[in-house]
């Protein structure tokens, strides 16, 4: 009997010295100390994570405006894209690739995605605008090109906004030699105010200029 009592005493002493520890979602906790310190929160987006820095998706400030004037010196009308669904013109650094110089109505900047509750839907307006013989059209530009970005959904006021994955950021161009390109049509027939057909292929006119020195650029269509 004394041997049994001795073994029971040893077991009781051992259980008193051993700390009972479990691992939970917040980190290890100890029953002997009333609970351990929880694990650190993550630094990225998501529940419990740190704030996301969205400043890299803010637009650059626009620069001085340049006005492009397209004059139709032909005896027949010419046509250019409207701004509803298409780019009216593009701009490139000297010898570089043409970039998006303005946004159509079916695009969004990343700044807009951060604040707007709604977004554009599909555009079905493919009409063009006429420049009659002897007449002119003007286009304004403020020295930025729009670059496509993929922004973290945590930056958007509505994470389900599809433009999160392909919003645009306005990036200021460097001063110097640039080129504007405008796609034009020699003839067009539009019906139902939204559908146009073109008897001939479009043609592109280009004009060199210096930014921001050239505040007014003339483009003649002969």
């Amino acid at each position: 009997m004394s041997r049994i009592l001795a073994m029971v005493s040893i077991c009781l002493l051992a259980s008193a010295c051993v700390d009972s520890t479990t691992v939970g979602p917040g980190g290890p906790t100890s029953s002997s100390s009333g609970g351990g310190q929880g694990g650190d929160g993550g630094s990225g987006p998501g529940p419990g994570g740190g704030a996301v820095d969205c400043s890299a998706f803010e637009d650059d400030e626009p620069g001085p405006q340049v006005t492009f004037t397209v004059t139709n010196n032909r005896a027949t009308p010419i046509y250019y894209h409207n701004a509803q669904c298409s780019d009216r013109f593009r701009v490139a650094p000297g010898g570089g690739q043409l970039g998006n110089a303005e946004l159509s109505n079916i695009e969004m900047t990343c700044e807009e995605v951060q604040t707007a509750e709604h977004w554009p839907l599909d555009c079905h307006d493919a009409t063009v605008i006429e420049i009659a013989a002897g007449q002119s059209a003007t286009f304004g530009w403020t020295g930025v090109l729009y670059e496509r970005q993929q922004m973290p959904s945590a930056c958007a006021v509505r994470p389900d906004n599809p433009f999160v994955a392909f919003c645009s950021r306005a990036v200021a161009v460097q001063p110097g030699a640039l080129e504007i390109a405008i796609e034009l049509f020699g003839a067009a027939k539009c019906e139902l105010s939204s559908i146009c057909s073109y008897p001939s292929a479009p043609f592109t006119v280009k004009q060199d200029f210096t930014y921001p020195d050239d505040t007014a650029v003339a483009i003649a269509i002969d």
Side-chain angles (χ1 to χ4, degrees), residues 107-160:
E107 298 174 277
M108 294 185 74
T109 66
C110 297
E111 279 194 3
E112 291 173 333
V113 174
Q114 293 181 40
T115 58
E117 292 284 349
H118 305 284
W119 49 86
L121 302 177
D122 293 340
C123 185
H124 301 287
D125 187 348
T127 56
V128 290
I129 299 174
E130 177 184 298
I131 306 177
Q135 300 298 310
S136 300
T138 59
F139 307 90
W141 181 63
T142 55
V144 296
L145 295 177
Y146 291 91
E147 296 182 355
R148 188 61 55 87
Q149 305 285 327
Q150 183 173 357
M151 190 170 63
S153 60
C155 292
V157 67
R158 289 278 303 274
D160 58 335

Side-chain angles (χ1 to χ4, degrees), residues 74 77-79 183-189 197-203:
R74 297 182 176 185
I78 57 175
Y79 304 83
E183 187 177 68
L184 300 168
F185 299 87
K189 181 180 180 181
S197 59
Y198 310 102
S200 58
F203 63 97

Side-chain angles (χ1 to χ4, degrees), residues 185-204:
F185 299 87
K189 181 180 180 181
C190 298
E191 299 176 354
L192 303 177
S193 301
S194 62
I195 302 174
C196 294
S197 59
Y198 310 102
S200 58
F203 63 97
T204 301

Side-chain angles (χ1 to χ4, degrees), residues 3-222:
R3 183 176 180 182
I4 294 174
L5 290 175
M7 291 181 64
V8 170
S9 299
I10 292 172
C11 290
L12 290 174
L13 288 173
S15 64
C17 295
V18 174
D19 185 17
S20 175
T21 302
T22 60
V23 178
T29 59
S30 172
S31 62
S32 63
S33 60
Q37 182 177 359
D40 295 332
S43 59
V52 178
D53 183 5
C54 305
S55 60
F57 301 96
E58 296 176 357
D59 292 333
D60 287 347
E61 291 295 327
Q65 177 166 300
V66 54
T67 300
F68 304 104
T69 301
V70 180
T71 301
N72 179 15
N73 293 328
R74 297 182 176 185
T76 56
I78 57 175
Y79 304 83
Y80 63 91
H81 293 287
N82 68 30
Q84 297 295 319
C85 304
S86 304
D87 303 329
R88 298 181 301 172
F89 61 93
R90 289 177 169 264
V91 171
Q97 184 176 2
L98 289 169
N100 192 353
E102 60 178 2
L103 290 184
S104 69
N105 291 352
I106 56 170
E107 298 174 277
M108 294 185 74
T109 66
C110 297
E111 279 194 3
E112 291 173 333
V113 174
Q114 293 181 40
T115 58
E117 292 284 349
H118 305 284
W119 49 86
L121 302 177
D122 293 340
C123 185
H124 301 287
D125 187 348
T127 56
V128 290
I129 299 174
E130 177 184 298
I131 306 177
Q135 300 298 310
S136 300
T138 59
F139 307 90
W141 181 63
T142 55
V144 296
L145 295 177
Y146 291 91
E147 296 182 355
R148 188 61 55 87
Q149 305 285 327
Q150 183 173 357
M151 190 170 63
S153 60
C155 292
V157 67
R158 289 278 303 274
D160 58 335
N161 187 332
F163 284 88
V164 170
F166 53 93
C167 58
S168 296
R169 176 177 175 263
V171 179
V173 301
Q174 294 297 316
L178 298 172
E179 179 185 65
I180 180 175
I182 304 177
E183 187 177 68
L184 300 168
F185 299 87
K189 181 180 180 181
C190 298
E191 299 176 354
L192 303 177
S193 301
S194 62
I195 302 174
C196 294
S197 59
Y198 310 102
S200 58
F203 63 97
T204 301
V205 294
K206 297 181 179 181
Q207 178 69 49
D208 295 332
F209 67 101
T210 302
Y211 186 80
D213 299 338
D214 295 333
T215 57
V217 179
I219 305 172
I221 310 300
D222 297 319

